[in-house]
Amino acid sequence: MTSRQIIEAVRSGTLDHEDALDALTGAPSAEVDAALTAALSGEFDRLFGNGWQPAELHRAVARRGNPIQARLVADAARDFARGRSPVDERWQAQADALRAPEGRRPDRIAVLDASLALLAELRRMPRIDILVPPPGTPLTTVPQHGDRRILDRVRALLAKAEATDFPAEAESYSAKAQELITRYRIEEVTAPAVDMTPFARRIGVDHPYESEKAGLLDAVARANTCRTVWSPELGFSTIFGFDADIDAVELLYTSLLVQANRAMVRDEKSVRKARLKAFKRSFLVAYGVRIGERMRQVTEREMTGHGDLLPVLRRREVQVHEAMDRAFPRTVRARGSRVESLEGWESGRAAADEAELR
């Protein structure tokens, strides 16, 4: 078999990448490099053209732990946009933000091994919904209904909540952020009618404890009239809602995760090493449950006296559900993570109370 045939066999799944590495080790390097570059480019073109954004594909590959493969994705994203027009600024910004890891360049065998393994992995990755048009396709305009000044104020409050070492201060800043979000939603639904439709956005959920973090994201989303679908094999959740609500959810989730991690590190010092994993998992489960409770309380309090808005809010919820059902008609309700540490559960609830949204 020629080098090209061997590489195509890896791409089609008929040859294991380790067997291909053995076969290609002694082949002419120029021939191997040309064939491998062409095969990888074909897979990157397929994925980038079928919904995958640069940051999403980079995260999905980087979580495998091979920096060579992460570098290949970063380079491919920039190459894919080069020479294509038009290029959505969101797509370009993601490609530009990817940075190749620093350090000594790996040897040729390591690069060949990583490239063949990446090729085998890419072929198994599915197409996903196009949320940002890929380079070379017509641009789509996403209406920006959210008041950026409100979001900037929310962002500033959450930054203060993350920075303080005093739980009471963090609680106050986080509570104010949720109040601003809820009040803005009231203003938005009482404004003169505009043509608004729900959108979708994918938010990366990093390991470890991805399912528990996805649960926290879902709790924040539900408190803000959004819904999520967790795709564990791909490392992201798709969130459905109106754009201002999605912006708020993403900001809140990111900040609350920072606060949760800080509290978890503080509380885990007294936990035996053998129980540490169960502690952390239980901590995050309890934290997400409690945060959801507290955020709903804030929302209900701010909505007091606005009973006339309930039909409008209900209609928005129905629209969000319909958008989710169209994109994921066969979702499966996953079983929640098992709580194996009472200490972790109690610590997580206590940490959530410190970030109480009231």
Side-chain angles (χ1 to χ4, degrees):
M1 296 175 67
T2 65
S3 298
R4 181 177 177 278
Q5 289 173 327
I6 293 172
I7 291 170
E8 284 301 317
V10 174
R11 186 178 182 183
S12 65
T14 59
L15 182 65
D16 183 81
H17 85 273
E18 293 182 350
D19 294 333
L21 177 63
D22 293 337
L24 293 172
T25 299
S29 59
E31 176 185 313
V32 172
D33 291 348
L36 189 52
T37 298
L40 284 170
S41 295
E43 287 301 313
F44 283 127
D45 287 354
R46 177 182 68 84
L47 294 171
F48 286 140
N50 285 285
W52 286 88
Q53 300 168 36
E56 295 171 342
L57 188 57
H58 186 266
R59 182 187 301 107
V61 170
R63 68 206 297 257
R64 293 165 52 86
N66 190 317
I68 299 175
Q69 295 177 345
R71 179 185 291 116
L72 289 170
V73 175
D75 292 342
R78 288 187 286 271
D79 291 343
F80 185 82
R82 192 174 296 120
R84 286 182 166 88
S85 181
V87 181
D88 189 287
E89 61 181 16
R90 294 166 293 175
W91 208 100
Q92 187 65 61
Q94 290 185 30
D96 292 341
L98 298 180
R99 292 288 180 265
E102 298 180 356
R104 190 173 65 179
R105 299 290 296 184
D107 61 66
R108 174 173 171 72
I109 297 300
V111 173
L112 183 58
D113 183 27
S115 299
L116 289 169
L118 177 59
L119 182 62
E121 180 64 22
L122 293 178
R123 63 168 290 274
R124 291 191 288 266
M125 300 184 74
R127 66 177 299 165
I128 56 179
D129 286 344
I130 296 177
L131 302 183
V132 174
T137 61
L139 301 180
T140 57
T141 301
V142 177
Q144 295 297 319
H145 300 293
D147 188 330
R148 310 313 299 183
R149 293 171 300 176
I150 295 294
L151 292 176
D152 287 342
R153 290 173 63 189
V154 169
R155 187 178 289 107
L157 287 166
L158 294 176
K160 292 179 179 179
E162 296 167 20
T164 182
D165 292 327
F166 298 99
E169 282 190 334
E171 170 189 336
S172 176
Y173 291 135
S174 298
K176 187 62 177 177
Q178 179 63 38
E179 289 173 6
L180 278 175
I181 291 166
T182 305
R183 290 172 186 172
Y184 177 71
R185 187 181 304 125
I186 294 173
E187 295 175 3
E188 187 180 49
V189 299
T190 56
V194 293
D195 183 20
M196 294 180 61
T197 57
F199 297 96
R201 187 182 306 171
R202 288 187 286 266
I203 297 179
V205 181
D206 297 320
H207 64 278
Y209 312 114
E210 300 100 320
S211 295
E212 290 74 25
K213 293 175 182 176
L216 172 61
L217 175 59
D218 186 67
V220 176
R222 287 177 178 274
N224 289 280
T225 327
C226 296
R227 291 294 182 269
T228 67
V229 176
W230 166 228
S231 301
E233 70 284 0
L234 302 179
F236 59 67
S237 281
T238 306
I239 179 169
F240 295 86
F242 292 86
D243 62 304
D245 295 337
I246 295 177
D247 285 341
V249 169
E250 189 166 12
L251 286 173
L252 282 166
Y253 166 70
T254 303
S255 177
L256 289 168
L257 193 57
V258 169
Q259 296 180 58
N261 285 330
R262 184 177 59 203
M264 188 163 57
V265 169
R266 178 196 64 199
D267 294 348
E268 71 183 27
K269 294 177 181 178
S270 60
V271 180
R272 291 184 294 110
K273 186 176 182 180
R275 297 288 299 164
L276 195 56
K277 185 175 181 179
F279 172 87
K280 291 182 176 181
R281 193 179 302 279
S282 301
F283 180 102
L284 289 171
V285 171
Y287 186 86
V289 170
R290 189 60 170 168
I291 283 294
E293 294 171 356
R294 294 306 187 189
M295 294 182 75
R296 286 192 296 274
Q297 290 174 3
V298 172
T299 300
E300 290 169 1
R301 188 183 69 250
E302 292 299 317
M303 287 294 179
T304 300
H306 296 280
D308 56 315
L309 300 182
L310 292 179
V312 180
L313 293 172
R314 178 55 183 162
R315 185 166 62 251
R316 287 164 65 99
E317 289 182 0
V318 170
Q319 289 179 278
V320 171
H321 273 287
E322 290 175 345
M324 184 180 72
D325 290 340
R326 284 194 298 269
F328 293 93
R330 292 185 297 274
T331 55
V332 176
R333 185 177 296 277
R335 177 180 297 178
S337 299
R338 187 168 60 183
V339 175
E340 299 177 333
S341 168
L342 178 60
E343 185 179 7
W345 173 268
E346 292 177 343
S347 181
R349 287 185 68 86
D353 282 337
E354 291 176 1
E356 183 181 358
L357 305 178
R358 58 180 174 79

